[in-house]
Amino acid sequence: MAFADEYKEKTGETVPIDREAFVDKFPHDAFIVRLNLAVAFGSLGVGGLFGMIQALHRTGIYRGFVSSADYYTLLTGHGVLLALVFTTFFITGIFSWAVVASLDEKLSERLSKTWFATMFVGTLLAGLAILGGLTGGPVSADVLFTFYAPMAAHPIFYLGAALLIVGSWIAGVDWYLAYRRWRAEHPDDRIPLRTFMVLATMLMWYISTIGVAVEVLVFLLPWSLGLIPAVDPLLTRTLFWYFGHPVVYFWLMPAYLVWYTLLPKLSGGRLFSDPLARVVFVLFVILSTPVGFHHQYVDPGIPEGFKFIAMTNTMFLLLPSLLTAFTVVASMEHGARQRGGTGRLGWLRALPWDNPAFSGCALAGLMFAAGGFSGMINAGMNINYLVHNTLWVPGHFHLTVGTAAALTFMAITYWLLPQVTGKNLKLKTVAMVQPYTWFVGMTLMSNAMHRAGLAGVPRRTAEPQYANVEFENVIGGIAEMRLQIAIGGTILFIALLMFLAVVVATWFGDRSAKLEVNSELPPALSGPQNSPVVLDDLRIWALIAIVLVVIAYGPPLWSMVADGLFAPGSPPIPV
Ligand code: HAS
Ligand code: CU
């Protein structure tokens, strides 16, 4: 029912609608965004529950939920539902909003329904395969969210994963076509920043998902169907990690889109520099992919020289995030000073810490500073041997994907949901406290995970038998770290329930005549006109990205396939 009719039915009065919300202007696109958000938040709830169960299980605090054998089923569900499903659907949702809102151009109704349905069916198949593991039947997929060989899943898991990715490809086409329609009418304009960010992210996504698509469609799926006798674990792992690093920027870049384009407004100011934001996204396009070997430093069969190239590229790849830290904090400071903030650090107090959309993004950024730091440690070839496969690594990625991305996504939902539902936020006090609750839970959990990793506690296990290890020179011991992880994990689950309560209350609330938020974005202090037009020519950056990928991956991949496509192992090439 149209909003005006519904209002009249309820109140008997006719109201002039003074809303120019996204949902009023683009009802179908708002519907698509809502569909994506619904799947994202459903996965978030289930995946988060699995997370709390694991935290309690592996720390030995409470082991009554599942057996240690089923732990891996839950661990797979946790990783897939949160890192792959929640993120992807939230991203396709917010990207659809970003493209439509910044171009003032609708998406294709047919195409958007198609990509959503493809992704949704894929998710159902993969989800069923994973949960099948709990039944003890023939369908299972206890392969963890990295799902490479030699562990094997039921074919429907691989099929589901493939559909999720193919759906995201079609979504990219939908956004690109909207851009083309806009371009036909605006031949000389610069690409609006939000759309530029979406297109750059998708370009990186196309280049990097080729690896996982080949892995799944050429190797894992035929292998699980019994069509080929064996796969080469090194080759399939390499194809996975070719995709496995850029996928983390597929999660991060949408958070950066929020930090660059929305956080300055939420802070009360304007983006410091639009050109710098474009440079950052171009750097991600170029450098995100030729670094995957930093996940394989300990793998035999990959020449050290190529691992070294990956390490060097990874260190260059810190640059876009360091530039982001500068630009985003400068924009926040500008906002704070507009709000009357003064002093060298005193301006921090003038920021709207009681607005959850703001505080969530700012706390996510703060935690990412720590997560980025542990990433630098991971990236060093020699120091990686100390932390690889320990609990340090989950400590790192709960700060990055689990906070920089996830908390930003939750925070901006408080701002976005009213605009795609036409309903003002409910349970505002719960929303206000929620980002802080997440922050406290994550501080406890990730800190203890990093320290436990240094003490040698392994990741990916239900039975880390380290109860009696004394860990000298640092406060507390293993028991204290386990307690912190369990308490932190439980607090995080509570924060998640708070978030979902706000979402559900808002979603099922009444539509509002006037929205408390609006989507007008102030222009950047330094606008796109201050940067060269070539920055927007994504074809050039794609070409450079592909050349770097060929240099980084060509020779090692060739040596892996040269000894037979399905044969395990390969002779190292001297460098
Ligand atoms: Fe990572 C492993 C290296 C970033 C996710 N990473 C992982 C895994 C995941 C993951 C999921 O080199 C595990 C995979 C598995 O299951 O095995 N990572 C890095 C490096 C970066 C990095 C160098 N990672 C991420 C991001 C992720 C993510 C982003 C998800 C979203 N990572 C590694 C390596 C491994 C690894 C190795 C393999 C480890 C192993 O041995 O297995 C860099 O991109 C980080 C750069 C970031 C910074 C921080 C900049 C600070 C900013 C904050 C600004 C502040 C604001 C707020 C806005 C340099 C931008 C201010 C607030 C106020 C109040 C003022
Ligand atoms: Cu990586």
Side-chain angles (χ1 to χ4, degrees):
M1 196 188 298
F3 172 73
D5 300 336
E6 190 183 304
Y7 192 87
K8 191 162 183 195
E9 197 180 283
K10 278 214 173 105
T11 62
E13 289 169 31
T14 312
V15 281
I17 304 181
D18 55 356
R19 284 193 341 195
E20 255 297 288
F22 186 79
V23 60
D24 305 309
K25 226 171 149 194
F26 304 104
H28 185 265
D29 301 290
F31 169 66
I32 292 291
V33 177
R34 288 200 303 274
L35 282 180
N36 282 279
L37 295 188
V39 180
F41 299 150
S43 317
L44 182 63
V46 181
L49 174 67
F50 290 176
M52 186 187 71
I53 295 175
Q54 282 155 224
L56 296 174
H57 189 100
R58 63 164 289 149
T59 52
I61 304 289
Y62 182 71
R63 296 189 147 222
F65 290 113
V66 281
S67 68
S68 282
D70 283 341
Y71 176 90
Y72 301 94
T73 306
L74 289 201
L75 182 55
T76 307
H78 174 68
V80 169
L81 284 175
L82 295 184
L84 303 179
V85 178
F86 160 63
T87 50
T88 306
F89 278 90
F90 188 89
I91 291 164
T92 45
I94 196 168
F95 274 10
S96 297
W97 165 81
V99 168
V100 173
S102 66
L103 298 179
D104 209 3
E105 190 76 52
K106 292 186 181 68
L107 297 180
S108 146
E109 291 199 10
R110 265 238 317 273
L111 213 51
S112 47
K113 281 184 190 150
T114 309
W115 59 254
F116 174 78
T118 312
M119 284 169 51
F120 187 59
V121 171
T123 299
L124 285 182
L125 291 179
L128 283 176
I130 295 170
L131 291 179
L134 293 175
T135 65
V139 179
S140 74
D142 302 337
V143 288
L144 309 181
F145 84 116
T146 40
F147 62 82
Y148 41 64
M151 286 187 293
H154 189 274
I156 67 166
F157 174 80
Y158 300 122
L159 189 64
L163 286 177
L164 181 61
I165 290 172
V166 170
S168 73
W169 287 348
I170 307 174
V173 172
D174 199 7
W175 301 324
Y176 180 69
L177 292 178
Y179 161 70
R180 288 294 297 269
R181 288 192 293 277
W182 172 87
R183 178 52 87 199
E185 285 165 24
H186 303 83
D188 301 319
D189 289 8
R190 294 299 290 265
I191 310 176
L193 185 57
R194 277 174 287 174
T195 298
F196 177 81
M197 290 175 159
V198 170
L199 296 180
T201 307
M202 290 314 287
L203 191 56
M204 182 211 72
W205 185 239
Y206 286 118
I207 295 173
S208 63
T209 41
I210 295 169
V212 73
V214 171
E215 185 205 8
V216 169
L217 296 175
V218 179
F219 297 103
L220 300 183
L221 189 56
W223 176 53
S224 67
L225 288 167
L227 299 175
I228 54 173
V231 293
D232 175 350
L234 180 62
L235 175 59
T236 49
R237 267 171 77 85
T238 302
L239 288 171
F240 181 85
W241 286 121
Y242 169 92
F243 149 86
H245 187 79
V247 72
V248 313
Y249 295 124
F250 183 63
W251 306 326
L252 182 71
M253 286 155 81
Y256 277 9
L257 181 150
V258 171
W259 296 359
Y260 276 109
T261 64
L262 308 179
L263 187 56
K265 170 197 163 103
L266 296 171
S267 313
R270 292 159 65 183
L271 171 61
F272 197 66
S273 164
D274 168 302
L276 210 58
R278 286 176 205 251
V279 168
V280 163
F281 274 65
V282 164
L283 284 171
F284 278 128
V285 171
I286 296 176
L287 286 170
S288 289
T289 312
V291 297
F293 286 135
H294 71 217
H295 293 264
Q296 295 180 276
Y297 286 145
V298 299
D299 283 21
I302 300 163
E304 293 293 299
F306 283 92
K307 292 178 180 171
F308 189 82
I309 291 176
M311 174 172 78
T312 315
N313 283 347
T314 307
M315 296 305 174
F316 279 121
L317 193 47
L318 296 175
L319 189 65
S321 287
L322 295 169
L323 288 174
T324 300
F326 168 76
T327 318
V328 173
V329 175
S331 310
M332 285 166 66
E333 181 179 347
H334 173 257
R337 295 200 187 279
Q338 300 305 303
R339 296 166 60 92
T342 51
R344 202 165 280 175
L345 286 177
W347 57 267
L348 281 165
R349 281 200 305 272
L351 289 166
W353 293 104
D354 55 348
N355 173 356
F358 167 82
S359 67
C361 291
L363 294 177
L366 219 51
M367 290 214 117
F368 186 54
F373 184 68
S374 72
M376 294 180 202
I377 289 167
N378 295 343
M381 244 169 112
N382 45 358
I383 205 166
N384 179 271
Y385 299 148
L386 186 68
V387 296
H388 186 65
N389 276 345
T390 72
L391 209 50
W392 168 284
V393 175
H396 161 70
F397 68 67
H398 280 85
L399 289 177
T400 51
V401 64
T403 300
L407 183 57
T408 300
F409 294 171
M410 288 188 263
I412 209 61
T413 300
Y414 297 136
W415 182 83
L416 189 62
L417 198 59
Q419 318 205 33
V420 295
T421 57
K423 298 166 179 182
N424 280 324
L425 204 66
K426 301 280 180 338
L427 301 184
K428 289 209 180 68
T429 317
V430 180
M432 202 172 86
V433 185
Q434 191 267 344
Y436 297 95
T437 315
W438 189 271
F439 187 81
V440 171
M442 195 55 91
T443 303
L444 291 174
M445 191 176 88
S446 71
N447 176 43
M449 279 179 160
H450 277 102
R451 286 171 48 219
L454 291 181
V457 176
R459 65 182 287 203
R460 292 173 157 162
T461 174
E463 302 283 346
Q465 309 298 6
Y466 273 68
N468 300 320
V469 174
E470 282 305 320
F471 187 37
E472 286 167 24
N473 297 334
V474 183
I475 356 116
I478 292 290
E480 168 263 326
M481 293 176 208
R482 291 192 339 195
L483 195 64
Q484 270 200 60
I485 293 174
I487 295 175
T490 309
I491 296 178
L492 285 170
F493 186 62
I494 294 170
L496 215 152
L497 290 180
M498 292 164 75
F499 170 73
L500 291 177
V502 176
V503 168
V504 170
T506 305
W507 208 306
F508 292 101
D510 287 339
R511 292 206 254 180
S512 322
K514 191 158 174 51
L515 287 185
E516 288 156 4
V517 287
N518 70 62
S519 57
E520 270 159 43
L521 298 184
L525 288 172
S526 166
Q529 70 283 355
N530 294 334
S531 65
V533 182
V534 65
L535 219 48
D536 286 9
D537 192 347
L538 288 168
R539 284 167 307 184
I540 297 178
W541 311 121
L543 195 70
I544 297 177
I546 291 168
V547 169
L548 287 180
V549 163
V550 171
I551 294 173
Y553 271 100
L557 269 179
W558 172 250
S559 83
M560 286 175 209
V561 296
D563 63 346
L565 206 52
F566 306 125
S570 58
I573 18 169
V575 206

